Amino acid sequence: MPTRNLGLDLMRATEAAALAAARFVGRGDKEGGDRAAVEAMRLLLNSLDFRGRVVIGEGEKDQAPMLYNGEILGRGNDTLWDLAVDPVEGTRLLALGRYGAISVIAAAPEGSLFNPGPGFYAAKLVVGPEAREAIDLRASVAENLKEIARALRKEVRELTVFVLDKPRHARLVEEIRTAGARISLQTDGDVAGALAAVLPDTGVDVLMGTGGTPEGVIAAVAVRALGGGMQMRLDPQSEEERWNLIHAGYDLEKVYGLEALCAAEDTHFAATGITDGPFLRGVRYGERRAWTESLVIRGATGTLRKVEAWHRLEKLRGISPVAY
């Protein structure tokens, strides 16, 4: 029997966050844009007939107004969902008016999402369905690219690898270029990069490199639902982070697959573009209206929907305190 698609409700929250944040595009105020998105997302989530607990959030309770870990949202009394949220993924992209800022939420049954604990960074490898059996985070960059190319029936020189443009990736960039592949260097956008690697027709074949661990968990929900491949290993970037992980009992050599990162199939994922990106266009404004483009992915069925919406701003402003 058909059941409720929670992702369509979550999309309302990412739309609200994107519309609120879009007023800050290019204004150089990443804190202001993030705050506006957080407040809009919280307001919408609290209006929904569901109950969710933030397990991947933006901060702790004493750092309000961020969506903090442990916060309960929604007005339902039924099943508790784990929520991984990022009201603005790419706050610097938003502030500078650059390509690829999105608003994103992932939901999974209680206890099914990987808890990164004190880990802030992780090495990641993400590909689409055709190459999901070809990756091994323990293997070299050249070996992975060779196997990915074989799975995709391409030459290595035809592959495009998404890499965050960070000093820590200097050696990775050199190894990818030595292997012969092309690189898409982006300053930010970890979740968007993973989605670009798993979705068709984005021009990206694989994501490689170290990025945020929370963003890795968010991305894993979508990657698993779409049948892609992903591996992740904790990669602390400071001695304090390393010590905290070891003290908390984490194995820094362990490679986590999708089932460890997201243990359930009954998941929901929603993302809305804030600025233009490889698979979503950003918020656009017309006469008394705004236009958004979103993705909604349901793990139980593997269904991906792309939703275009026109929002009548005077109507929204009449019923909502959000500054649309």
Side-chain angles (χ1 to χ4, degrees):
M1 292 291 294
T3 57
R4 175 188 180 189
N5 187 343
L6 178 61
L8 294 171
D9 290 329
L10 297 179
M11 181 190 68
R12 293 175 54 205
T14 60
E15 285 179 341
L19 287 166
R23 294 297 186 185
F24 292 81
V25 169
R27 297 184 182 274
D29 183 5
K30 66 179 184 179
E31 290 82 10
D34 197 35
R35 186 181 305 110
V38 167
E39 292 172 352
M41 182 173 282
R42 176 181 280 121
L43 179 71
L44 263 293
L45 289 173
N46 276 327
S47 75
L48 299 179
D49 186 20
F50 92 118
R51 192 163 64 104
R53 177 179 58 202
V54 177
V55 297
I56 301 290
E58 288 208 322
E60 302 306 323
K61 189 172 183 178
D62 60 354
Q63 296 177 323
M66 301 306 180
L67 287 159
Y68 60 86
N69 294 336
E71 182 172 358
I72 301 294
L73 298 163
R75 53 189 179 88
N77 295 309
D78 54 358
T79 303
L80 181 67
W81 291 85
D82 282 350
L83 298 179
V85 304
D86 201 346
V88 179
E89 204 247 342
T91 54
R92 181 164 50 176
L93 302 176
L94 166 71
L96 298 177
R98 290 179 177 170
Y99 186 81
I102 62 173
S103 179
V104 61
I105 300 177
E110 183 181 9
S112 59
L113 294 182
F114 175 68
N115 179 4
F120 299 113
Y121 291 95
K124 305 170 198 174
L125 190 51
V126 181
V127 292
E130 295 83 1
R132 65 183 180 184
E133 302 298 330
I135 59 174
D136 185 354
L137 203 50
R138 291 170 288 257
S140 70
V141 169
E143 289 170 332
N144 272 294
L145 292 174
K146 179 181 177 181
E147 292 305 314
I148 292 167
R150 190 197 309 274
L152 297 179
R153 299 182 180 180
K154 292 184 175 183
E155 300 292 332
V156 171
R157 60 188 175 88
E158 297 174 319
L159 296 179
T160 298
V161 185
F162 180 102
V163 179
L164 291 176
D165 189 7
K166 307 293 183 182
R168 62 178 176 266
H169 287 147
R171 181 178 175 183
L172 173 63
V173 167
E174 182 181 347
E175 290 179 343
I176 293 170
R177 287 175 173 161
T178 299
R182 300 176 297 181
I183 300 176
S184 175
L185 275 175
Q186 304 295 330
T187 58
D188 300 274
D190 220 352
V191 176
L195 285 168
V198 76
L199 290 169
D201 303 322
T202 65
V204 173
D205 299 293
V206 53
L207 175 143
M208 285 183 166
T210 293
T213 309
E215 289 83 353
V217 176
I218 296 173
V221 175
V223 174
R224 180 170 183 183
L226 293 172
M230 179 174 180
Q231 294 182 0
M232 189 170 84
R233 181 180 61 239
L234 296 170
D235 187 17
Q237 296 298 295
S238 69
E239 284 305 313
E240 180 182 5
E241 183 184 356
R242 178 181 298 274
W243 187 92
N244 288 338
L245 284 165
I246 293 172
H247 186 71
Y250 287 86
D251 180 357
L252 301 187
E253 299 301 318
K254 182 174 180 178
V255 173
Y256 297 91
L258 275 174
E259 290 72 19
L261 298 172
C262 176
E265 291 190 353
D266 184 19
T267 58
H268 301 274
F269 180 95
T272 301
I274 301 173
T275 60
D276 286 348
F279 52 89
L280 287 174
R281 296 181 73 188
V283 175
R284 278 165 168 68
Y285 295 98
E287 185 178 357
R288 297 186 298 277
R289 297 187 298 176
W291 179 90
T292 58
E293 187 171 74
S294 303
L295 291 179
V296 181
I297 304 169
R298 188 175 189 182
T301 61
T303 301
L304 181 151
R305 291 177 170 87
K306 182 171 280 191
V307 180
E308 297 181 9
W310 279 106
H311 309 268
R312 290 183 60 186
L313 296 177
E314 72 274 15
K315 289 278 192 178
L316 288 176
R317 291 166 182 155
I319 64 174
S320 173
V322 176
Y324 289 113

